[in-house]
Amino acid sequence: MTQQEFEHIAYTLRPMLTGIGRAYFGSADEAEDVAQEALLRLWRYAESMDGGCDLSRLAARIAKWCCVDIDRKRRAFAPPPLPGWDAEAAHSPHDELVGKETQQLLDKAISQLSPRERELFEMQQLEGLPADEIALRTGVSKTSVQSMASRARKKVFDELNKLMKQ
Amino acid sequence: MKTEETERLISKYLAGTATPDEERRLSLEVNRRDVPQEWRAIGVMLGELTLGEALYEQQVQHRRSHRRRIFAACAMAASLACVSLAGWWYFDGRQASDSENIAIAHIDGHTISDESLVRAMAEDAVCDIFETADEANADELDLFDM
């Protein structure tokens, strides 16, 4: 995707992204920060994608993640406490390092997949698309998408478990 | 979430049949501390975007319900204020009309506000007058007779 294409898409996505930020923070300034951060991250993803791909769903997911991340960094207020969920500790430098390591393990596990399985896995992983939408987009039947997704996930799961035990 | 429910969602996720909403719920569950390593692997696979989405939804829901609670409290306070204002207005008005209808009489140096008592005393007084008048008439007749 070229920078010009992305700039055009970014212009159309911005209102949706600020809306997501406003729903979370309730303020226009923070919503602008969310939109800015989300577009920056989206550009990193978009560089590796082809021009015809619909980025709005991915942009929405990234914006939601940005809200949580900005909130966590600013510590303005804590997310609602979950029993056993330690938001402070989960983002210590040690945990970030562990996070990076597990991401590397995941990349390694994904590399074991066939190109078709990898494409499908990443579609679900990144864009959070349900099977029927992937079927529509790829032209493969929903049942085939589900069985391929299942095979890919089980492979990654087994490989990841093996790597994490080492 | 119970362990069985988490395992059911993991099976659905691995079978590729979990809905986006189920994946978000699962992500919250497997990203807790002290979970089995297998669950942690699922957390890694679901990715930070799914977790971010799940936390986002949770927070927005929490804010919405908080806002709804504040609105409900304000609405209740406003309706209570309306009811008390209406009640005050009604009883105050009634008291004023009652005070206008109070019958006050000064009889033999006493102030009497009981309407029925005043009426009874007035009737007694009228009867006394008639009796006195009858007696006077009778005396006059007696004089003529003489």
Side-chain angles (χ1 to χ4, degrees), chain B:
Chain B
M1 199 187 286
K2 284 180 182 169
T3 310
E4 299 84 50
E5 173 71 355
T6 310
E7 276 166 359
R8 190 185 66 82
L9 288 181
I10 289 175
S11 306
K12 275 190 92 176
Y13 171 72
L14 289 177
T17 55
T19 62
D21 182 53
E22 284 174 329
E23 289 186 7
R24 285 195 288 272
R25 273 167 51 212
L26 181 61
S27 180
L28 282 176
E29 208 52 38
V30 295
N31 276 292
R32 292 173 195 272
R33 305 218 141 219
D34 311 320
V35 293
Q37 195 199 305
E38 286 192 352
W39 289 18
R40 205 161 289 181
I42 296 288
V44 174
M45 284 170 71
L46 281 163
E48 59 181 12
L49 288 183
T50 310
L51 178 63
E53 231 179 348
L55 288 170
Y56 174 91
E57 302 293 348
Q58 201 179 42
Q59 183 70 23
V60 169
Q61 198 109 22
H62 176 73
R63 282 175 151 253
R64 269 188 204 141
S65 65
H66 183 66
R67 237 176 279 159
R68 220 172 290 146
R69 273 202 298 272
I70 290 175
F71 178 76
C74 288
M76 194 178 278
S79 53
L80 269 175
C82 281
V83 168
S84 348
L85 209 65
W88 175 79
W89 179 77
Y90 174 75
F91 284 112
D92 192 55
R94 209 175 140 174
Q95 228 170 15
S97 64
D98 282 353
S99 67
E100 280 164 16
N101 291 336
I102 286 172
I104 296 176
H106 294 279
I107 300 168
D108 296 336
H110 299 290
T111 305
I112 300 165
S113 60
D114 186 341
E115 196 182 342
S116 55
L117 190 63
V118 172
R119 198 179 289 276
M121 288 177 87
E123 279 169 2
D124 284 350
V126 171
C127 283
D128 284 348
I129 290 166
F130 279 123
E131 277 170 17
T132 317
D134 286 347
E135 277 170 18
N137 285 341
D139 287 346
E140 275 174 25
L141 286 171
D142 287 345
L143 282 174
F144 285 119
D145 287 344
M146 281 170 80

Side-chain angles (χ1 to χ4, degrees), chain A residues 16 54-62 126-130 133, chain B residues 20:
Chain A
M16 178 195 70
D54 174 25
L55 289 180
S56 58
R57 191 186 278 262
L58 176 60
R61 295 191 83 200
I62 292 175
L126 279 181
E127 296 175 60
L129 292 176
E133 260 186 67

